[in-house]
Amino acid sequence: MMTLSQAYQRARARWQARPPQERTLWRDARNRFFKNRLATVGLSIVSLFAIFAVFAEILAPTAYDHSVLTEALQFPTLRHWLGTDQVGRDLLSRIIYGARTSLFIGFSVQVIAFSIGVPLGAVAALRGGRFDFVVTRLVEVMTAFPGFLFAIFLMSIIGAGINNVIFAIGITSWIEVCRLTRAQFLALREREFILAARAYGAADRHIFLRHLLPHALPSLIIMLTLGIPSAIFAEAGLSFLGVGINDPIPSWGKMVGESMGYIQVFWHLGLFPTLMIALAMLSFNFVGDGLRDALDPTMISA
């Protein structure tokens, strides 16, 4: 009968005898990313926020709308670790549920922005001519309007609500995605492998899916990562102004806005949600910077 030591030695020998993995762009990028300490810390914090968002019902001490008026405006205690708000709701619970709101809005806004920006930028670069002229002029016109002010204008028309917030921010966030996609595709379409594919009679769709998009994907991934905190910050600003998320759905920005009338005495109402916004912004920026360094082709060693 094989002993535990013999089984370990056999497994170790088998592991050491395995063929070396072939180096690829994504494997090298992964290794460089995890060597970046700030990027790793940022990814860990983002993962923690994602756990809060997914398992909020399990992790939160109470429901986000559970109110006990006799416990209103309490400072942090053993019963309420972060205190309570002006209507007696547990602040820790609302912050945990607020992570769900922020991440949902951040990712949903990027879905809208990339669904509009990538196709427009790609077609403009590939077709050129009048379509490229129209898209370029449209981007210039939209750039003339400050995105956040335009979002406030839209919210004043369509009203508050989480779906309206996503629409208002998303419809103003596609401009940079379109501009980046067009620039990337214009630089790539004159490369030798694209010209060779055209010479072989490849269709535009094949060139887009098999050649252009994979090469532009690293830059788009970086923009996606950096766009999520921008959307979270925009939602926080809208909710702070009172045109964002409706009660009782928790939002970090709305919690900061609601604390303004009490902040001189009850400091905890605005401090903790503000720290969450700052931590989310910082973490996503660390991840974006790490991805930018990891996916930079000039950093790939031979």
Side-chain angles (χ1 to χ4, degrees):
M1 185 176 178
M2 183 183 299
T3 64
L4 183 62
S5 176
Q6 291 173 337
Y8 170 76
Q9 293 296 335
R10 178 173 296 182
R12 181 179 180 183
R14 187 179 304 164
W15 172 262
Q16 293 176 346
R18 66 186 179 89
Q21 291 183 332
E22 180 183 357
R23 291 186 59 181
T24 63
L25 168 66
W26 298 107
R27 186 172 291 118
D28 289 346
R30 180 194 62 191
N31 294 335
R32 284 197 301 273
F33 178 85
F34 285 106
K35 288 180 181 178
N36 188 326
R37 293 184 179 180
L38 287 179
T40 305
V41 171
L43 182 61
S44 301
I45 297 175
V46 169
S47 301
L48 183 62
F49 284 149
I51 293 174
F52 286 165
V54 174
F55 301 104
E57 288 85 357
I58 300 175
L59 298 175
T62 64
Y64 64 82
D65 56 351
H66 179 71
S67 174
V68 181
L69 293 177
T70 57
E71 297 181 353
L73 295 174
Q74 289 189 359
F75 287 101
T77 62
L78 292 178
R79 176 177 172 81
H80 301 285
W81 290 3
L82 301 184
T84 59
D85 64 5
Q86 59 272 23
V87 293
R89 295 174 298 196
D90 184 73
L91 204 61
L92 175 60
S93 300
R94 291 184 62 79
I95 283 178
I96 291 175
Y97 278 96
R100 172 180 293 179
T101 303
S102 296
L103 291 183
F104 177 71
I105 290 176
F107 282 100
S108 298
V109 165
Q110 296 311 303
V111 169
I112 296 176
F114 276 71
S115 298
I116 298 174
V118 172
L120 278 180
V123 175
L126 291 176
R127 294 295 178 86
R130 293 183 179 179
F131 189 86
D132 184 32
F133 177 82
V134 171
V135 171
T136 304
R137 300 291 83 78
L138 178 62
V139 168
E140 291 174 352
V141 170
M142 291 295 295
T143 305
F145 296 95
F148 185 68
L149 294 181
F150 191 65
I152 294 176
F153 171 74
L154 289 177
M155 292 300 298
S156 65
I157 296 176
I158 62 180
I162 188 169
N163 293 329
N164 293 343
V165 168
I166 293 172
F167 172 77
I169 301 175
I171 206 67
T172 59
S173 301
W174 63 269
I175 302 169
E176 293 300 325
V177 179
C178 179
R179 183 178 293 169
L180 175 66
T181 304
R182 179 179 177 272
Q184 288 288 317
F185 280 31
L186 284 176
L188 290 170
R189 73 177 187 179
E190 302 301 328
R191 299 282 296 273
E192 290 79 2
F193 61 93
I194 300 296
L195 298 177
R198 290 190 183 278
Y200 276 102
D204 286 345
R205 180 181 177 183
H206 175 84
I207 293 175
F208 170 76
L209 294 176
R210 296 295 300 276
H211 300 289
L212 291 175
L213 186 59
H215 283 80
L217 197 58
S219 298
L220 294 176
I221 291 175
I222 296 170
M223 172 154 282
L224 170 67
T225 308
L226 297 178
I228 292 174
S230 299
I232 293 175
F233 192 74
E235 178 274 323
L238 292 174
S239 297
F240 178 83
L241 295 175
V243 294
I245 307 298
N246 286 325
D247 271 332
I249 299 175
S251 162
W252 292 339
K254 186 174 66 176
M255 293 167 68
V256 174
E258 292 173 346
S259 71
M260 288 297 99
Y262 310 88
I263 195 67
Q264 293 184 349
V265 177
F266 301 100
W267 50 268
H268 64 287
L269 295 180
L271 175 63
F272 295 120
T274 301
L275 289 177
M276 292 300 103
I277 295 174
L279 195 59
M281 295 284 292
L282 199 62
S283 301
F284 275 105
N285 281 323
F286 283 161
V287 173
D289 290 342
L291 287 174
R292 181 188 59 197
D293 296 339
L295 297 174
D296 186 359
T298 61
M299 298 186 66
I300 300 177
S301 58

